[in-house]
Amino acid sequence: MKVLFKPWLLALLCLNVLSVLTVPTAQAHGEKALEPFIRMRTIQWYDVQWSTQKFNVNEEVSVSGKFHVAEDWPISVPKPEASFLNISTPGPVLIRTERYLNGKPWTNSVSLEPGGDYEFKVVLKGRLPGRYHIHPFFNLKDAGQVMGPGVWLDIGGDPGDFRNTLKTINGEVIDMESFGFANGVFWHLFWGVLAAGWLLWWVRRPLFISRYRMLDAGLEQELITAQDKFIAKAVLVGVPVLVLALNAVTANRYPDAIPLQAGLDRILPLPAQVNAGTVNVDAIKAEYNVAQRAMLLQVSVDNRSQGAVRIGEFSSSNVHFMNAELADVGHMPGKDDVSNNGLSLDNNTPIAPGEQRTVTIEVRDAAWESEKLDGLIKDADSRIGGLLFLYDDVMGKRYISSISAAVIPKFN
Amino acid sequence: MSAQIPISTFNPYRGEKARLVRAYDYLILVLALFLFIGSFHLHFALTVGDWDFWVDWKDRQWWPLVTPLIGITFPAAVQAVLWDKFRLPLGATLCVAALLLGTWVTRVFAYHYWNYFPINMVLPATMVPGALVLDTLLMLTNSLTITSIFGGAAFALLFYPTNWPIFGMFHQAVEYHNSQLTVADLFGFQYIRTGMPEYLRIIERGTLRTYGQYATPLAAFCSALLCSLMYPLWWYIGKWFADTRYLKSI
């Protein structure tokens, strides 16, 4: 008894310890795991916003925004010929009720054009209460998931309130939460009973050793009786006939059934929003200072607009580096992915209309490291990409350029 | 196996021996059930996978081709053992029933309670009728060749009509945001799967276009041919793995 006591006591202690330890739910979606050059130079998200972050089961929430498909698409990533705008959720805690690309509703995958500009909107409906970290993101065929900016959503209410009904083309109203379930269970039970009957028919008599010995003794004919054969013949004929009859009944019941739909949606990009030709920006050189966690971008700005412009923001992989010198221009205080004074210029004076100027931009912030963007210098494709936002304060206009350049690391 | 021992010399077990032998039967049955639930279910999930998981993957081309082809493997192997060594014609039905038990447990606990999918979105397909035909055909013919050709073919050909009463209703058309979808497609659109974009579905892909819209029968007959070949292959795998030497020492 004493010998047994200690292991049992230890086991009890272990169980106690395990019971008080909390196991946190994983809420990340690997958004920092994808190689930086893919995050920076494929889908370039901007102006993404949620209609609300707190709502109840059965209430709708929408996320809308814009993205630019980078011209400098990495050679190692397949072109976005089949892409799917998805929502990262821990299971269907929300359902997707509507989705629009450039104002058009779409349900399948879509082919995107590098250099194209798109705006999107996804409408979701709360299904299960809880607090969830949610991103819009693109599944890119053969490339992976490129995350958009994430937020925390709080869904309140009672899961029992959730309703999801729709009308088929024949006018039948169906409840998606239970449609076909009872029917499926019925047929599984139906065939399950037949299978169980056949198994029990054989299991009720001595099985392995007895049958093996009889077979070994040449008593094969004793093992399969005439009754067994009669039942087997009935099953052999009856089951296929039953299957075909039930199939015919179902086919008659749903004469308008159609195959699963597998089309690819074709939606043209919007007129150019990024690299629209009014203010042209060309990246000349990029250096990354590892110790200072600072990216030095040398760009050539050609202002062909009617007003003076100033560089206000550099955005890459959902991190926004803001120019603190520009008041009231796109500052988003309090957001995790915004560096409010992460961007500074060697010359902050406005770039006059018609002026061409080479500007050195320093983008300095710990976000390079915390967002795992500094891994770029160890990638096989170490080109940086991102969106540069320029503002015309007087005219109230914004110009966006998608820039890219090879990055040279500086270790001292 | 010839009857070299006269029947009169065969001495069946009685009393305590008979009880022990029966207890052994039940022990093996329970172990076999769990073994097949685990192994066949794993094999099926890794090979048929999404075609069996999701209602919007059950198309008319690949689903009736892939599912019976993979589904006939374990039944053939287990039949090889149970029929050859024990004249028990229940290998296929046992395997398919074990697979369904495992599948239902996962669909309810993993897909519904753990990942919140409605169960109707992840209803499994059934292969019970095909398995019953395989078992009875083997029993009545005692022929590997006939069971391979006709049993294998029946296993494949019966698959789609067996499951149409379960899944036909999910193929009703819905007008949704200016497009036509099936109810099944709509499940895929509405109930968000982060790791399952629409383009990943391997449905309606291929060159079965010459014969108009009769893709299902063509896929089923293609599957029938392949099942006829897959059946003997796995029969011999079953025979290769099975070993009843120890029974001789009892």
Side-chain angles (χ1 to χ4, degrees):
Chain A
M1 192 64 194
K2 278 183 182 174
V3 179
L4 280 175
F5 179 72
K6 280 182 182 171
W8 277 109
L9 187 66
L10 189 65
L12 199 65
L13 274 172
C14 287
L15 280 174
N16 268 325
V17 169
L18 284 174
S19 66
V20 294
L21 287 176
T22 53
V23 182
T25 309
Q27 294 282 7
H29 308 105
E31 57 263 45
K32 297 178 191 174
L34 198 64
E35 288 168 301
F37 75 93
I38 301 179
R39 286 187 278 154
M40 291 173 165
R41 286 176 28 229
T42 51
I43 305 295
Q44 297 175 324
W45 306 84
Y46 63 102
D47 292 350
V48 176
Q49 47 194 322
W50 290 79
S51 60
T52 177
Q53 287 178 239
K54 203 164 186 174
F55 55 102
N56 288 325
V57 167
N58 240 8
E59 289 177 359
E60 287 191 334
V61 60
S62 67
V63 54
S64 56
K66 297 173 183 172
F67 61 90
H68 177 72
V69 183
E71 288 88 347
D72 188 12
W73 190 274
I75 187 74
S76 53
V77 178
K79 293 285 187 290
E81 285 166 5
S83 320
F84 189 82
L85 176 58
N86 214 337
I87 301 290
S88 66
T89 61
V93 295
L94 306 123
I95 63 163
R96 175 173 36 220
T97 55
E98 297 168 48
R99 188 175 58 171
Y100 301 90
L101 190 65
N102 294 349
K104 286 186 179 175
W106 60 305
T107 50
N108 292 317
S109 301
V110 70
S111 176
L112 300 174
E113 291 180 17
D117 289 300
Y118 301 86
E119 60 183 22
F120 70 91
K121 181 180 178 187
V122 183
V123 182
L124 306 158
K125 188 156 98 166
R127 182 166 176 256
L128 285 174
R131 180 173 159 77
Y132 309 107
H133 194 226
I134 311 282
H135 297 249
F137 73 98
F138 255 103
N139 292 103
L140 302 175
K141 191 178 181 189
D142 301 327
Q145 305 177 346
V146 179
M147 288 286 166
V151 295
W152 285 93
L153 296 185
D154 283 294
I155 306 178
D158 182 354
D161 291 341
F162 181 73
R163 293 286 176 274
N164 184 21
T165 55
L166 65 93
K167 197 184 274 186
T168 68
I169 221 160
N170 292 327
E172 185 191 352
V173 177
I174 61 173
D175 177 2
M176 292 289 276
E177 292 284 302
S178 61
F179 178 70
F181 174 66
N183 176 68
V185 170
F186 171 79
W187 287 116
H188 273 280
L189 284 176
F190 177 83
W191 292 115
V193 166
L194 277 188
W198 178 251
L199 292 175
L200 288 173
W201 178 256
W202 294 98
V203 168
R204 71 198 167 94
R205 57 186 100 173
L207 298 173
F208 301 107
I209 296 176
S210 311
R211 295 180 76 90
Y212 181 83
R213 288 183 70 236
M214 287 180 73
L215 194 61
D216 202 36
L219 301 175
E220 187 174 353
Q221 70 282 3
E222 304 282 320
L223 294 174
I224 307 287
T225 65
Q227 198 180 15
D228 293 336
K229 287 183 180 170
F230 174 76
I231 290 174
K233 283 175 189 169
V235 169
L236 187 59
V237 175
V239 164
V241 168
L242 188 60
V243 164
L244 296 176
L246 293 170
N247 176 64
V249 169
T250 313
N252 282 332
R253 193 169 172 195
Y254 303 109
D256 299 325
I258 58 169
L260 297 181
Q261 301 297 292
L264 185 73
D265 290 319
R266 292 279 169 191
I267 297 175
L268 292 175
L270 293 170
Q273 314 278 304
V274 174
N275 295 345
T278 315
V279 178
N280 292 331
V281 181
D282 190 21
I284 300 167
K285 190 178 177 184
E287 282 180 8
Y288 181 67
N289 189 309
V290 177
Q292 294 178 6
R293 294 183 290 202
M295 186 73 71
L296 219 58
L297 292 164
Q298 199 176 57
V299 298
S300 163
V301 181
D302 179 6
N303 182 8
R304 296 181 189 174
S305 74
Q306 301 297 313
V309 295
R310 298 172 74 185
I311 295 171
E313 177 189 345
F314 176 68
S315 165
S316 186
S317 187
N318 304 317
V319 186
H320 304 268
F321 302 94
M322 315 301 290
N323 183 356
E325 298 292 319
L326 267 73
D328 304 328
V329 181
H331 282 235
M332 292 173 274
K335 286 191 74 173
D336 291 343
D337 52 359
V338 175
S339 168
N340 278 321
N341 47 11
L343 186 147
S344 56
L345 308 173
D346 61 341
N347 180 356
N348 232 332
T349 56
I351 302 164
E355 182 185 352
Q356 289 185 19
R357 185 190 297 176
T358 299
V359 183
T360 302
I361 308 168
E362 187 186 55
V363 187
R364 183 199 291 235
D365 196 278
W368 289 109
E369 194 174 309
S370 62
E371 294 294 319
K372 298 191 187 302
L373 296 172
D374 58 352
L376 189 70
I377 56 175
K378 291 174 185 168
D379 278 343
D381 184 345
S382 56
R383 291 176 67 80
I384 186 177
L387 298 177
L388 197 66
F389 294 80
L390 300 97
Y391 295 91
D392 178 341
D393 295 344
V394 179
M395 306 285 284
K397 286 187 174 175
R398 181 178 73 170
Y399 304 97
I400 310 171
S401 286
S402 176
I403 59 169
S404 66
V407 173
I408 301 158
K410 298 288 177 189
F411 297 101
N412 301 310
Chain B
M1 293 298 172
S2 59
Q4 290 149 344
I5 304 168
I7 293 173
S8 56
T9 63
F10 182 73
N11 187 17
Y13 290 141
R14 290 190 176 83
E16 184 64 19
K17 262 189 178 177
R19 277 195 296 277
L20 278 174
V21 163
R22 195 64 182 141
Y24 175 82
D25 284 347
Y26 288 126
L27 182 70
I28 292 294
L29 270 180
V30 172
L31 288 174
L33 187 70
F34 280 103
L35 174 71
F36 297 142
I37 287 176
S39 56
F40 194 18
H41 178 232
L42 180 67
H43 165 88
F44 204 72
L46 291 176
T47 46
V48 179
D50 293 310
W51 278 293
D52 196 55
F53 297 157
W54 311 107
V55 71
D56 62 328
W57 270 72
K58 291 178 169 61
D59 72 328
R60 56 183 187 171
Q61 282 191 356
W62 287 94
W63 179 51
L65 176 69
V66 174
T67 318
L69 185 61
I70 301 299
I72 203 168
T73 54
F74 271 54
V78 175
Q79 273 191 335
V81 184
L82 293 185
W83 181 252
D84 207 37
K85 307 289 184 189
F86 308 102
R87 285 294 183 268
L88 273 173
L90 52 80
T93 310
L94 178 66
C95 281
V96 167
L99 171 68
L100 280 174
L101 278 174
T103 305
W104 269 101
V105 168
T106 3
R107 299 299 154 85
V108 172
F109 289 99
Y111 285 77
H112 182 61
Y113 285 116
W114 194 11
N115 282 301
Y116 317 127
F117 288 102
I119 303 179
N120 50 351
M121 185 181 175
V122 291
L123 280 175
T126 180
M127 294 180 287
V128 167
L132 286 168
V133 167
L134 262 188
D135 277 339
T136 50
L137 194 64
L138 178 64
M139 179 192 134
L140 292 170
T141 63
N142 191 20
S143 163
L144 171 61
T145 310
I146 293 175
T147 311
S148 297
I149 296 170
F150 296 104
F155 191 83
L157 292 173
L158 287 176
F159 176 73
Y160 200 86
T162 295
N163 285 286
W164 193 240
I166 301 176
F167 296 106
M169 61 201 306
F170 291 95
H171 285 249
Q172 293 179 82
V174 178
E175 185 185 341
Y176 199 74
H177 299 304
N178 302 346
S179 5
Q180 178 187 240
L181 299 175
T182 64
V183 174
D185 292 315
L186 200 55
F187 270 103
F189 177 75
Q190 288 195 330
Y191 291 83
I192 298 168
R193 292 171 298 199
T194 300
M196 175 63 68
E198 186 277 330
Y199 61 72
L200 269 192
R201 295 190 301 169
I202 305 173
I203 61 163
E204 294 288 329
R205 288 185 202 173
T207 50
L208 284 175
R209 308 292 169 203
T210 324
Y211 301 95
Q213 293 167 333
Y214 296 99
T216 312
L218 286 168
F221 275 101
C222 182
S223 185
L225 173 67
L226 293 172
C227 280
S228 296
L229 300 170
M230 189 70 116
Y231 183 85
L233 176 70
W234 276 77
W235 173 282
Y236 283 112
I237 290 174
K239 276 193 84 160
W240 180 48
F241 268 105
D243 189 356
T244 49
R245 274 177 303 174
Y246 64 94
L247 279 176
K248 290 189 183 295
S249 57
I250 292 175

